[in-house]
Amino acid sequence: EPQEKVHRNTESYSLIEGIGTISVLMVENSIILGSESVKKRDEDSDDVYYSPFWGIEKGAVLQEARCFNDSQLDARRCQQVITKLLYLCNQGDTFTKTEATEVFFSVTKLFQSKDSNLRRMVYLIIKEVCPSSDEVIIVTSSLMKDMNSKVDLYRSNAIRVLCSITDAGLLGQIERYLKQAVVDKNSVVSSAALVSGLHLLKINADIVRRWSNEIQEAINSSHPMVQFHALSLLHQIRQSDRLAVSKLVTQLTKSNIRSPLAQCSIIRYVSQVISQTVPSDNAPRPFFDFLEGCLRNKSEMVIFEAARAIINLKEVTSRELQPAVSVLQLFLSSSKPVLRFGAVRAINQIALKNPLSVTNCNLDMENLISDQNRSIATLAITTLLKTGNESSIERLMKQISVFVSDIQDEFKIVVVQAIQTLCLKFPHKHRTLVNFLSNILREEGGFAFKKAIVDSIFCIIKNIPDAKDPGLSHLSEFIEDCEFTYLSSQILHLLGSEGPQTTDPSKYIRYIYNRVVLENAAIRASAISALSKFGAECPLLRSRVLTLLYRCLHDSDDEVRDRATLYVQNLEKLSLHEVDNSNSHKVTDFALQDLESSLYSYISGCTVSPYSISNVRSASQKSKTEHGISKILSKAGHDSSFSEDVSSSFEQSNLLSNPLFSVYGSVFKSSKPISLTEAETEYKVTCIVHLFQSHVVFEFKCTNTIEEQVLEDISVSMEMIEGVDFLAENSTISLDRMPLGDEGSTFVIFDRKEGVFEQAKFSCILRFTSKEIDPATGEPEEEGYDDEYTLEDVDLKLTDYLRPTNISNFKKAWDSLSEECECSSDYDIGKREGLQQAVEMVINIIGCQPCEGTEAVPPNSRSHSTLLSGVCIGESQVLIRTNFGLDELNNVTMKITARSERLDISELVHAIISNS
């Protein structure tokens, strides 16, 4: 009986490794320290905890370590000192080389003690101190002696310590002992050798690979932990060879592995092989039968691992998911909370991609809404919201309303996000869902929770027009008691933007003005801005808004007074009609470049006369001038790039004159018009791509050439057919009417991820309502029919992200950019007539501005360097050096070096060249 007890203790202690071992032993020894260092406390201080390591200093502990040199060792005291040393190491204290050497040599003298607990502490401190290669030899003999000891505790720990401190040179001396330990009858010793082999693979992989036969024998061990460790080591040895891994997996799926941990590892290896296999059209997935068989395993851990593997398969079908869903459904009613949590979490993951596959589990998940474990209840609710149908929404909301008040804010945020997704999925149920969000918005909660609800209501209002009025009403009531300045300002801004377009704008003015009376300066300023928008867009309410703004002119805050003064003046001008619309000029009526130049000249003090806008050319005058210059240049033999630049600038000014696009900022670049129809077709459509900082606007200019019909409600639907998912469609602006010969524009707007430079191709379909013209009256008929016309594909090119710009000193600008953001590569252009042709081709491909006249190649030159400059979207400068060389056969080679403020922009230049 004593021997059996020792064996059990040896096995349990040896399975503990690393930090876990240190923690266990430090807890044991802290009890000893605590019993000596903490005195008896009275009844009033029984709940106070005193750390046994409080006040420990490194110097004092090193002094205590001298007890290791005593002729008569006190095992208990030595354990305490080693515990303190381990505590200092784990707290981040470091020993100098001298201190570490002294501690190491002192510890080696403890091998003479026969105390088993002290010997365990010695193993740990040797691993922690990590002696140098010169010092390892001193302790190697003692450790090798323990490897051959009859005490299994010594053998296993000696193997671990030796493998952690031994270098590649000494490894060959102990290889024979390690190979014997792998197939040792004692499972603890065998596991220690196998785990050490995993670490030794990083030091000398060739030696470990020679253990393959012993490791294969260990896989057939009857002990579960030995099987697991042997399988892990064998896979690590073969992981670089895909064919070897595939053979190993095939062999393991047919073997009798009883260890649950080993079976989980096999399932993961199978998943890896499946993911690397190219599936055929009709053939079943390899090893899928094995995964399906693991769903019937006795171990719950194996079942969950198999279900997770099936769920994560690429392009998994509903038929393949069905066995996993059936097993998970059984776990939903388990008495163990961890099984219920694992099952509902896996089902939640399935619901993201295949919600219809888990509809049979809805009844079981509804029972989990009242589960005592709130994590389980939250997952059940979010899953039900993803899988539920439109008829079950009211019932779910009633169940959730009882539950949601009892959970923490982080769980509430998950529920709110799921409700937002459900509302966008079923827009007709927006009233029920928005009412639920407004009710929980009034409950107690932190900023993150409130912000999640407000953002969800914002999203619903933006995407569901019918939800605008109820959503704005709920938000107006919320700001009456809102304690967060940020949220109040956001809501007031939304009320100012959307409120004037509602059916009854006047009902929101009371809520907004209450914020002026009751809130802080930041909210008052936001409220005044919102009020001014009502006055500007609602003429019937302008006088009432002015009355309220007059009261704000004497506010105590400067910002509030300034805003009130500005908006009062603007609204008074509107109400008194001081500006005659028929004679007044808009800013966009003038040539923007001339207007900017004149304003800059006036501000800089170059003129003393009062500024007069009448001195600025109108846009029509500039257009005529530029048209005349273009004709002169064309007659003189120049290219049409000048007129194209003028056209591009004109398109940009037209775009910015539209208030819908002014919020996007300035246009970075507009492409040349691209014809999407043949010249002889009924409809002429051209496309211009306008690139903003975070938006891409596709403008389609349409012209009707058929005399017998009028087109109405014209729009273009676009679908990405090539490219990564970096654009999200924002909205489409339709063209109301297009008579014969008239040109109009319809727009498609995409949100673009900033910092992403990708190209894309879109298929385009022109959709419209066609109405025939009555020959007698010349008016279109009331009834029309919907029609569509397929257009050519539209490309968003990599060159659209670059814009040419000129610089005066290229070398100075080049040196100012970091070499870390430089990217260089060589290219073979092929046979050309000369270097001038190659230079012009590269300039046209990249689309940047040549600098310092380097675009001109001297006659008969065999080499040439061209300097290019540009700006990437985001106003990041790009500089390019191109070196050309021409051989005897007229083959041109080129080296391009690009520098920018960011490395990915420099790489963009090379991507443009590679794609061309």
Side-chain angles (χ1 to χ4, degrees):
E1 182 178 352
Q3 292 180 353
E4 184 179 353
K5 183 177 181 181
V6 170
H7 178 73
R8 287 200 303 269
N9 291 337
T10 301
E11 182 175 348
S12 61
Y13 282 131
S14 298
L15 290 177
I16 304 172
E17 186 182 6
I19 298 300
T21 312
I22 296 175
S23 303
V24 171
L25 296 180
M26 287 173 62
V27 169
E28 292 180 359
N29 288 285
S30 66
I31 297 174
I32 302 173
L33 290 172
S35 62
E36 295 184 359
S37 61
V38 181
K39 297 181 180 180
K40 185 177 180 180
R41 299 183 292 270
D42 54 20
E43 296 180 356
D44 296 334
S45 61
D46 283 344
D47 56 343
V48 180
Y49 172 73
Y50 293 91
S51 171
F53 302 105
W54 181 80
I56 289 181
E57 296 181 357
K58 184 176 72 171
V61 176
L62 291 175
Q63 289 291 332
E64 293 182 35
R66 294 181 179 179
C67 67
F68 301 158
N69 301 319
D70 294 345
S71 57
Q72 297 293 329
L73 291 175
D74 185 349
R76 185 172 182 180
R77 185 184 177 192
C78 291
Q79 290 179 52
Q80 295 175 10
V81 176
I82 294 177
T83 302
K84 294 179 182 179
L85 289 170
L86 293 172
Y87 174 79
L88 291 173
C89 292
N90 281 277
Q91 291 300 310
D93 289 340
T94 57
F95 299 121
T96 63
K97 183 174 180 59
T98 303
E99 292 171 347
T101 302
E102 291 178 357
V103 170
F104 173 71
F105 279 108
S106 300
V107 167
T108 57
K109 298 179 181 179
L110 299 180
F111 275 102
Q112 59 185 327
S113 175
K114 302 300 181 183
D115 188 278
S116 60
N117 287 332
L118 179 59
R119 183 65 61 89
R120 291 160 58 207
M121 301 296 290
V122 170
Y123 292 139
L124 288 177
I125 194 63
I126 290 176
K127 290 175 65 176
E128 196 69 30
V129 172
C130 192
S132 62
S133 57
D134 298 334
E135 300 167 348
V136 168
I137 193 65
I138 298 173
V139 77
T140 301
S141 59
S142 299
L143 292 174
M144 291 181 68
K145 181 180 178 181
D146 286 349
M147 283 178 62
N148 299 312
S149 173
K150 296 180 180 180
V151 181
D152 294 333
L153 170 66
Y154 293 173
R155 295 172 61 197
S156 59
N157 284 322
I159 291 172
R160 287 192 176 94
V161 176
L162 259 178
C163 293
S164 64
I165 66 175
T166 302
D167 57 7
L170 295 175
L171 188 58
Q173 301 178 16
I174 62 173
E175 180 189 2
R176 180 168 58 89
Y177 300 104
L178 293 175
K179 290 177 69 174
Q180 293 175 357
V182 169
V183 293
D184 195 274
K185 295 180 180 180
N186 187 283
S187 59
V188 178
V189 177
S190 180
S191 288
L194 291 167
V195 172
S196 299
L198 288 169
H199 298 297
L200 291 176
L201 275 174
K202 303 175 184 177
I203 301 175
N204 196 329
D206 293 335
I207 289 181
V208 181
R209 290 192 180 99
R210 293 202 290 262
W211 305 356
S212 296
N213 295 332
E214 287 78 8
I215 298 171
Q216 193 71 45
E217 184 179 345
I219 289 180
N220 300 324
S221 172
S222 59
H223 196 278
M225 193 58 68
V226 175
Q227 281 189 339
F228 170 61
H229 289 153
L231 180 60
S232 300
L233 180 56
L234 191 60
H235 180 264
Q236 284 290 326
I237 292 174
R238 302 184 182 182
Q239 66 174 353
S240 58
D241 188 348
R242 286 182 56 182
L243 181 60
V245 172
S246 181
K247 290 181 178 179
L248 175 63
V249 169
T250 304
Q251 175 189 349
L252 293 173
T253 53
K254 298 177 181 179
S255 61
N256 185 20
I257 301 294
R258 289 174 293 179
S259 169
L261 286 173
Q263 289 177 330
C264 290
S265 296
I266 295 173
I267 292 173
R268 295 189 180 185
Y269 304 153
V270 166
S271 300
Q272 181 182 356
V273 172
I274 293 177
S275 65
Q276 296 173 350
T277 304
V278 179
S280 57
D281 296 334
N282 299 322
R285 293 182 189 267
F287 304 111
F288 185 81
D289 293 338
F290 170 77
L291 294 178
E292 192 173 355
C294 291
L295 294 174
R296 297 183 290 272
N297 196 282
K298 295 180 180 179
S299 174
E300 297 160 347
M301 177 171 57
V302 177
I303 295 175
F304 269 115
E305 190 67 31
R308 189 179 72 90
I310 294 175
I311 292 170
N312 292 328
L313 290 176
K314 294 181 180 179
E315 299 179 1
V316 61
T317 62
S318 299
R319 186 189 64 81
E320 293 172 330
L321 282 173
Q322 193 55 43
V325 173
S326 301
V327 173
L328 294 173
Q329 186 175 5
L330 296 176
F331 284 146
L332 291 175
S333 56
S334 173
S335 58
K336 299 179 181 179
V338 66
L339 296 183
R340 298 198 303 273
F341 177 79
V344 72
R345 185 180 182 185
I347 292 175
N348 184 278
Q349 186 178 355
I350 298 174
L352 294 175
K353 300 178 181 178
N354 297 279
L356 297 178
S357 300
V358 295
T359 52
N360 295 333
C361 305
N362 286 355
L363 184 60
D364 297 296
M365 285 189 291
E366 286 185 16
N367 297 329
L368 295 179
I369 294 179
S370 57
D371 196 281
Q372 295 179 353
N373 189 310
R374 292 310 183 190
S375 299
I376 297 175
T378 304
L379 278 173
I381 288 175
T382 54
T383 307
L384 285 170
L385 292 175
K386 295 171 185 174
T387 60
N389 51 33
E390 194 169 1
S391 60
S392 63
I393 290 179
E394 285 81 0
R395 178 165 49 84
L396 280 176
M397 290 299 103
K398 290 180 181 179
Q399 292 177 308
I400 294 174
S401 59
V402 178
F403 153 82
V404 75
S405 59
D406 299 332
I407 61 176
Q408 299 178 354
D409 281 1
E410 53 266 27
F411 294 137
K412 292 180 181 179
I413 293 174
V414 177
V415 174
V416 169
Q417 293 172 347
I419 291 175
Q420 173 188 328
T421 304
L422 185 67
C423 189
L424 297 179
K425 183 179 179 181
F426 301 112
H428 296 296
K429 293 294 182 180
H430 69 84
R431 190 171 299 276
T432 301
L433 298 173
V434 171
N435 287 338
F436 175 81
L437 292 176
S438 66
N439 290 334
I440 62 175
L441 187 59
R442 299 187 186 97
E443 297 179 359
E444 295 294 330
F447 172 76
F449 171 54
K450 301 286 187 180
K451 183 177 183 297
I453 300 176
V454 172
D455 289 344
S456 296
I457 296 178
F458 279 14
C459 181
I460 293 172
I461 291 175
K462 178 181 177 181
N463 292 279
I464 305 176
D466 293 339
K468 180 184 292 186
D469 282 343
L472 293 178
S473 299
H474 291 309
L475 292 176
S476 301
E477 295 175 359
F478 168 65
I479 60 175
E480 293 286 334
D481 300 317
C482 180
E483 57 183 338
F484 302 107
T485 301
Y486 174 81
L487 295 182
S488 295
S489 299
Q490 291 290 100
I491 294 173
L492 288 169
H493 175 75
L494 181 69
L495 288 174
S497 302
E498 303 293 340
Q501 285 82 37
T502 58
T503 55
D504 186 11
S506 61
K507 67 179 180 180
Y508 302 111
I509 293 180
R510 175 176 63 87
Y511 297 104
I512 298 174
Y513 186 69
N514 285 345
R515 302 306 100 221
V516 177
V517 178
L518 302 174
E519 295 291 354
N520 56 44
I523 298 179
R524 296 202 302 272
S526 300
I528 287 176
S529 298
L531 279 175
S532 67
K533 293 179 181 178
F534 280 84
E537 299 183 30
C538 303
L540 297 177
L541 301 177
R542 189 171 299 153
S543 60
R544 297 164 58 183
V545 171
L546 275 171
T547 302
L548 299 178
L549 291 179
Y550 287 143
R551 300 176 185 177
C552 304
L553 294 175
H554 304 287
D555 193 274
S556 59
D557 185 77
D558 294 343
E559 175 73 15
V560 176
R561 291 198 305 272
D562 291 345
R563 290 196 184 194
T565 303
L566 174 65
Y567 294 137
V568 163
Q569 290 182 356
N570 291 340
L571 294 179
E572 284 178 345
K573 289 179 182 180
L574 290 174
S575 60
L576 297 175
H577 300 283
E578 291 182 354
V579 179
D580 186 3
N581 293 329
S582 61
N583 298 324
S584 65
H585 294 290
K586 296 180 181 178
V587 173
T588 52
D589 291 337
F590 296 92
L592 295 181
Q593 293 180 352
D594 292 352
L595 180 61
E596 179 185 12
S597 177
S598 63
L599 289 172
Y600 180 79
S601 176
Y602 177 74
I603 293 174
S604 61
C606 297
T607 178
V608 294
S609 59
Y611 181 78
S612 175
I613 200 170
S614 60
N615 296 327
V616 182
R617 285 186 304 168
S618 66
S620 59
Q621 291 174 340
K622 182 182 179 184
S623 177
K624 292 178 181 179
T625 303
E626 290 171 343
H627 180 67
I629 294 175
S630 178
K631 291 178 66 176
I632 294 173
L633 289 174
S634 61
K635 290 180 180 179
H638 293 277
D639 58 27
S640 60
S641 60
F642 179 83
S643 60
E644 289 172 351
D645 292 341
V646 171
S647 175
S648 175
S649 176
F650 183 72
E651 297 296 341
Q652 292 182 12
S653 63
N654 274 352
L655 192 72
L656 289 175
S657 65
N658 191 327
L660 295 174
F661 303 113
S662 59
V663 296
Y664 297 158
S666 60
V667 181
F668 172 75
K669 185 178 181 180
S670 294
S671 69
K672 301 175 184 178
I674 305 167
S675 179
L676 303 183
T677 56
E678 299 292 339
E680 61 274 9
T681 55
E682 304 91 340
Y683 316 109
K684 293 183 179 180
V685 181
T686 59
C687 178
I688 302 173
V689 182
H690 305 282
L691 205 64
F692 293 82
Q693 177 67 25
S694 56
H695 296 82
V696 180
V697 177
F698 294 88
E699 179 182 3
F700 296 91
K701 289 193 171 185
C702 310
T703 304
N704 179 21
T705 61
I706 301 179
E707 298 180 357
E708 298 82 13
Q709 67 180 10
V710 171
L711 306 184
E712 295 182 357
D713 194 20
I714 304 100
S715 64
V716 176
S717 62
M718 303 181 66
E719 182 180 0
M720 184 184 294
I721 56 178
E722 291 182 13
V724 298
D725 189 14
F726 69 104
L727 295 176
E729 186 169 347
N730 182 306
S731 58
T732 299
I733 302 177
S734 303
L735 178 62
D736 295 334
R737 183 181 175 89
M738 190 168 67
L740 173 65
D742 282 2
E743 183 182 69
S745 294
T746 175
F747 302 85
V748 181
I749 306 167
F750 286 83
D751 295 330
R752 187 184 73 87
K753 293 181 180 178
E754 296 187 20
V756 179
F757 308 111
E758 295 288 346
Q759 57 186 353
K761 175 174 284 190
F762 298 85
S763 62
C764 303
I765 298 178
L766 181 69
R767 303 183 187 277
F768 51 88
T769 301
S770 179
K771 293 185 177 181
E772 300 292 337
I773 296 179
D774 189 350
T777 61
E779 295 295 328
E781 298 176 355
E782 294 183 0
E783 297 294 332
Y785 61 91
D786 296 335
D787 200 358
E788 62 181 38
Y789 187 86
T790 302
L791 306 175
E792 297 290 336
D793 296 340
V794 173
D795 293 315
L796 177 62
K797 303 177 182 178
L798 294 178
T799 53
D800 293 333
Y801 300 109
L802 293 180
R803 184 184 67 199
T805 183
N806 199 7
I807 57 175
S808 58
N809 192 334
F810 185 92
K811 185 179 184 303
K812 182 178 179 180
W814 179 271
D815 293 338
S816 65
L817 297 175
S818 173
E819 293 182 0
E820 296 178 355
C821 299
E822 180 179 299
C823 188
S824 180
S825 186
D826 297 331
Y827 300 92
D828 186 7
I829 298 180
K831 186 172 291 187
R832 292 290 183 271
E833 295 179 359
L835 288 182
Q836 185 65 51
Q837 183 185 17
V839 169
E840 293 174 355
M841 180 191 69
V842 172
I843 292 175
N844 291 332
I845 290 174
I846 299 178
C848 287
Q849 178 71 32
C851 300
E852 303 175 3
T854 55
E855 69 273 17
V857 181
N860 302 323
S861 293
R862 309 299 294 182
S863 62
H864 183 70
S865 297
T866 302
L867 308 178
L868 305 175
S869 68
V871 175
C872 183
I873 186 169
E875 303 302 322
S876 296
Q877 190 177 37
V878 186
L879 300 180
I880 305 168
R881 279 180 170 173
T882 57
N883 298 318
F884 297 89
L886 184 68
D887 63 9
E888 297 176 354
L889 300 177
N890 286 345
N891 291 317
V892 180
T893 57
M894 174 182 63
K895 180 180 181 180
I896 287 186
T897 305
R899 273 192 192 180
S900 182
E901 299 169 6
R902 289 165 45 190
L903 181 60
D904 57 343
I905 297 177
S906 300
E907 294 172 346
L908 172 63
V909 175
H910 292 275
I912 293 174
I913 296 294
S914 300
N915 291 338
S916 63

